[in-house]
Amino acid sequence: MPHCDGEMLKYGATLVGTGGRQKMMPAGVKCEELEDFSASSFRNSVPKQVQIMLQSKGKGAEDTYNKFVAQVLTKQTWKKNFKWREVQGVVEHFRPSFRNVGMNVFLCNVRLPGGPNGGGGFYYWFEYVDLDVCSDYSPDEIYDPSKDACCTCAVM
């Protein structure tokens, strides 16, 4: 399970212990994890650093974010795993609204191979960008559908 506090994302293995990875967000970028089968944590809590960014951008940003979250949550199967290509469609749909409030949004994903001790998996998160701080930012891990879990993996 990944862990994200808004400024740093840890994922894989025992997070950063054995085989784990971490990503520090650059200035003006905040992150929010998104997990299959755990939509309630996405729906019910906002990382503090994301909340601070939204508040700094004003009510329009908070309203856009709330509508965005509501729409993302409609892109789940009956098993409560996300339909990632459809989530990416929501990101693309809301990008102009985020830009109107001085922000950008990206869905990111990585796929880590497992080893003899496990540690592999599929990890997804959003990155929110303050365009006043870094207008040309694009994450290295921008959503790539070829890194999605296959249907067998998503059911397990």
Side-chain angles (χ1 to χ4, degrees):
M1 171 185 325
H3 171 72
C4 179
D5 65 4
E7 292 187 329
M8 179 175 50
L9 176 74
K10 297 178 182 181
Y11 57 92
T14 55
L15 298 180
V16 181
T18 307
R21 310 257 174 101
Q22 70 180 21
K23 178 181 181 179
M24 292 295 298
M25 298 297 127
V29 180
K30 306 302 177 198
C31 62
E32 182 173 27
E33 65 193 287
L34 189 62
E35 297 178 74
D36 274 331
F37 313 109
S38 186
S40 62
S41 62
F42 175 64
R43 178 183 61 241
N44 296 330
S45 65
V46 181
K48 185 173 181 66
Q49 297 303 316
V50 172
Q51 192 169 35
I52 290 169
M53 177 186 281
L54 292 168
Q55 290 171 345
S56 76
K57 293 297 186 177
K59 182 156 175 37
E62 294 176 83
D63 290 346
T64 296
Y65 172 83
N66 289 333
K67 291 174 186 173
F68 171 72
V69 168
Q71 198 61 36
V72 167
L73 290 169
T74 68
K75 305 305 178 191
Q76 298 178 70
T77 68
W78 63 275
K79 297 176 189 173
K80 299 299 181 193
N81 55 324
F82 285 97
K83 297 181 262 184
W84 295 110
R85 291 174 196 229
E86 291 183 26
V87 172
Q88 177 63 14
V90 173
V91 169
E92 295 300 325
H93 176 80
F94 273 86
R95 184 162 284 135
S97 298
F98 275 104
R99 285 190 171 278
N100 285 339
V101 296
M103 295 175 65
N104 203 349
V105 61
F106 295 94
L107 174 62
C108 299
N109 68 332
V110 295
R111 182 177 186 171
L112 296 180
N117 298 322
F122 306 90
Y123 303 95
Y124 297 85
W125 67 95
F126 292 117
E127 291 189 21
Y128 303 97
V129 181
D130 183 337
L131 295 175
D132 293 330
V133 178
C134 47
S135 60
D136 60 348
Y137 176 79
S138 181
D140 292 335
E141 307 87 356
I142 198 161
Y143 176 71
D144 177 353
S146 71
K147 297 178 182 173
D148 282 344
C150 63
C151 59
T152 304
C153 300
V155 174
M156 295 174 75

